Amino acid sequence: DAGVTQSPTHLIKTRGQQVTLRCSPKSGHDTVSWYQQALGQGPQFIFQYYEEEERQRGNFPDRFSGHQFPNYSSELNVNALLLGDSALYLCASSPDRVDTGELFFGEGSRLTVL
Amino acid sequence: GDSVTQMEGPVTLSEEAFLTINCTYTATGYPSLFWYVQYPGEGLQLLLKATKADDKGSNKGFEATYRKETTSFHLEKGSVQVSDSAVYFCALSGVTGSGNTGKLIFGQGTTLQVKP
């Protein structure tokens, strides 16, 4: 049973560019969340998708946007990249009616902005 | 808003030493509490959880008790091993009338290094 998979694992961009990160949730999961983890910090919630709609959003600017597809996979898009966007981006999945809030995480996409 | 504060690291211990990593939280209502672990080169994975006051979560020799009166969820292990070297994150998930929000709020993480 494949867990949460993310691509690419590493990428380098320059300021002002745009990036798209991809995530396939664990089998049987229909809810996908994205987190940003800066170096030496804990992950911070970006947003959550369910039934192809953004259900919750954290304190991130509109440059951060996402999408969920009918097969539950998801993309995170970041426009007009800033140096401060350099981080590990984590995707997490869960079944919608999870009672305990447990999330399953991928290994992340490490973005470096130069 | 909701927040989690955990002790700063790094924490360096010798094998078989006792481990405590402190975690306190601020939240409205009664959140679920978690410890996640990030081993080198791997993704975050759930270590243990507790969903209500006085619950004790346990896994792989690690334990943590949900203390509502002190808003704490300290992680403990009686005898650490080299393989426990990792970054440990305390987290909470808010609860509404519809159940868990599924949104985790993490502490900043504590790096544990265990030496043989």
Side-chain angles (χ1 to χ4, degrees):
Chain A
D1 175 27
V4 179
T5 58
Q6 294 186 241
S7 64
T9 54
H10 295 83
L11 68 166
I12 300 173
K13 294 286 187 178
T14 57
R15 282 177 297 175
Q17 285 189 312
Q18 178 265 343
V19 67
T20 297
L21 308 178
R22 297 176 177 82
C23 171
S24 291
K26 182 178 170 64
S27 177
H29 289 183
D30 56 11
T31 301
V32 173
S33 302
W34 287 92
Y35 289 78
Q36 180 195 65
Q37 186 179 9
L39 196 63
Q41 301 297 315
Q44 290 197 346
F45 176 76
I46 303 174
F47 41 54
Q48 182 185 83
Y49 277 84
Y50 172 69
E51 291 189 341
E52 302 179 49
E53 291 190 357
E54 184 182 290
R55 186 161 65 174
Q56 295 187 74
R57 188 178 182 91
N59 189 25
F60 279 80
D62 292 344
R63 298 187 298 108
F64 290 77
S65 63
H67 188 78
Q68 186 179 33
F69 299 93
N71 67 353
Y72 308 124
S73 67
S74 177
E75 289 182 349
L76 164 65
N77 300 291
V78 187
N79 295 321
L81 285 167
L82 304 173
L83 295 179
D85 295 331
S86 295
L88 181 67
Y89 288 85
L90 299 170
C91 174
S93 72
S94 62
D96 179 51
R97 283 301 172 200
V98 61
D99 293 331
T100 62
E102 177 182 352
L103 301 182
F104 292 78
F105 285 85
E107 294 185 21
S109 294
R110 184 164 297 282
L111 170 65
T112 301
V113 182
L114 301 178
Chain B
D2 296 354
S3 65
V4 174
T5 302
Q6 58 182 106
M7 66 185 287
E8 293 187 13
V11 174
T12 302
L13 297 173
S14 298
E15 210 166 20
E16 300 184 2
F18 184 86
L19 168 71
T20 299
I21 300 178
N22 291 335
C23 171
T24 57
Y25 68 90
T26 302
T28 54
Y30 302 97
S32 294
L33 301 175
F34 306 84
W35 278 99
Y36 278 80
V37 58
Q38 194 170 37
Y39 296 105
E42 298 184 19
L44 274 169
Q45 55 187 272
L46 179 67
L47 179 60
L48 55 82
K49 64 190 178 192
T51 58
K52 61 182 187 296
D54 299 326
D55 267 2
K56 178 185 284 188
S58 61
N59 185 26
K60 300 181 181 179
F62 290 89
E63 293 183 339
T65 300
Y66 189 140
R67 300 289 188 197
K68 179 173 175 292
E69 63 276 12
T70 56
T71 61
S72 65
F73 193 56
H74 304 320
L75 182 68
E76 297 182 335
K77 186 174 185 182
S79 176
V80 294
Q81 305 300 313
V82 172
S83 58
D84 294 326
S85 298
V87 183
Y88 293 81
F89 293 93
C90 184
L92 69 81
S93 175
V95 178
T96 68
S98 302
N100 262 285
T101 64
K103 168 188 169 182
L104 291 178
I105 296 171
F106 287 87
Q108 73 270 34
T110 302
T111 299
L112 171 65
Q113 184 179 21
V114 181
K115 296 185 175 180

